[in-house]
Amino acid sequence: MATQTLHIDGHDLELSRIEKELYPSDHVTKGDIVEHCRAVADAMLPHLADRPLTLRRFPDGIEDSGFFQKHASDYFPDWVRTETMRAEGGTVDYVVCDDEAHLVYLANQAAIEFHVWTSTVDKPDNPDRLVIDLDPPDDTPVATLRDVARRARDLYADVGLTPFVQATGGRGFHVVAPLDRSADFDLVRDLASELADRLAAADPDHLTTAQRKQRRGVRIFLDCNRNAYGQTFVCPYSLRARPGAPVATPLDWDELGRSTPNGQGPASIRRRLARKTDPWARIDDHAAAAADARERLLTLED
């Protein structure tokens, strides 16, 4: 079986079974996944830095069930950064991916999806991201999803938040706002829920915040569940474990009209990053106070 040694960030990384197809139907190998991670590292690493990381690993490829991993494996080398975070019933030693060597090492462990907290290790109880996930039922027209994303964008702006959008690489879009970490998760979760409730109330035939799937019908679910301690959303530029090897992709708003949730793959994302700066590169420059946004939301006229 093929191996390869890379010297990155002062570490010798021995890659194993690089010819193994982790996307069998698309003939995408582990080596291809490593190359993707290296190609997007400059854009992806700022979104990973200092955030506890949940990995979704597929040692036998995406046609197998795979597994989510929070706790760092005992066999991970000493140089892999871990941070101990409190969790229900104890603590968890999370990996924190701050450089290309970490990214490549994890890809060699068949980590395909990278999911990050909405807060950082230095201030874990105070999120710096608010996320509403637009989760559509099957057969939802992409034009409808785009329209909902724009409505969320406009509402965010009305309350003083700066909206950013990401094609998730899955079924929908994330509408994200950067926060200044002055609020705790309780306030941010309340704000996200109230934003979603307002959007759903304005279009109850097409939008819902119902947690139970059987209550949603054919409506788009405005999912606010990521706005809680220890919850995650997919990191920009992460691959998704879906046919076609789609990539979670931050967008400029003027690109939304020609974008789909899963329209970018490893080859196209390289071309994109060669000609275009990451639209989220300066996201933290727009951080707002969640308390101020909530106060504005409560005073908006219907």
Side-chain angles (χ1 to χ4, degrees), residues 24 212 217 248:
R212 295 184 179 180

Side-chain angles (χ1 to χ4, degrees), residues 14-247:
E14 185 173 331
L15 310 183
S16 61
R17 305 183 72 187
I18 58 175
E19 80 290 353
K20 182 175 178 62
E21 292 186 343
L22 298 187
Y23 291 79
S25 297
D26 300 292
H27 306 295
V28 175
T29 67
K30 189 202 283 189
D32 295 329
I33 292 169
V34 168
E35 286 306 306
H36 165 75
C37 288
R38 299 198 73 186
V40 302
D42 286 348
M44 186 177 183
L45 285 167
H47 304 298
L48 288 165
D50 294 321
R51 295 184 189 276
L53 178 61
T54 295
L55 303 169
R56 195 175 181 202
R57 295 174 57 188
F58 292 84
D60 296 314
I62 68 164
E63 293 177 2
D64 190 63
S65 58
F67 60 94
F68 283 95
Q69 179 175 359
K70 295 182 179 181
H71 202 296
S73 299
D74 292 340
Y75 62 81
F76 284 3
D78 291 343
W79 57 263
V80 170
R81 180 184 173 189
T82 62
E83 296 288 347
T84 302
M85 312 302 294
R86 78 172 193 282
E88 186 174 353
T91 60
V92 173
D93 294 330
Y94 284 88
V95 172
V96 179
C97 182
D98 288 335
D99 59 32
E100 185 179 340
H102 280 74
L103 195 55
V104 170
Y105 177 81
L106 295 170
N108 188 52
Q109 303 303 311
I112 289 178
E113 295 188 359
F114 292 71
H115 296 259
V116 291
W117 281 28
T118 59
S119 62
T120 52
V121 294
D122 59 324
K123 209 167 183 181
D125 296 306
N126 297 82
D128 64 350
R129 301 284 184 268
L130 180 149
V131 183
I132 296 180
D133 178 19
L134 310 185
D135 183 7
D138 293 338
D139 301 321
T140 299
V142 68
T144 301
L145 267 179
R146 293 170 183 148
D147 179 64
V148 175
R150 293 186 186 105
R151 281 185 255 166
R153 172 198 64 190
D154 294 344
L155 181 57
Y156 280 34
D158 286 345
V159 301
L161 300 174
T162 301
F164 289 77
V165 65
Q166 171 167 250
T168 65
R171 294 153 51 93
F173 295 100
H174 287 155
V175 183
V176 177
L179 304 175
D180 66 3
R181 306 199 296 177
S182 59
D184 61 16
F185 272 104
D186 287 342
L187 193 152
V188 172
R189 184 173 58 248
D190 287 346
L191 171 59
S193 296
E194 289 159 0
L195 289 166
D197 286 343
R198 189 177 184 91
L199 290 166
D203 189 3
D205 292 335
H206 299 103
L207 305 178
T208 181
T209 58
Q211 294 294 318
R212 295 184 179 180
K213 285 187 177 181
Q214 59 267 34
R215 293 185 56 198
R216 298 175 197 167
V218 295
R219 296 176 293 177
I220 295 168
F221 176 43
L222 305 178
D223 184 358
C224 299
N225 291 322
R226 286 153 179 75
N227 300 287
Y229 178 88
Q231 298 301 305
T232 63
F233 71 107
V234 67
C235 185
Y237 304 103
S238 172
L239 285 162
R240 303 306 304 269
R242 294 172 176 266
V247 178

Side-chain angles (χ1 to χ4, degrees), residues 273-284:
L273 289 173
R275 62 176 174 78
K276 181 180 178 65
T277 301
D278 172 22
W280 287 19
R282 302 186 66 85
I283 188 172
D284 290 318

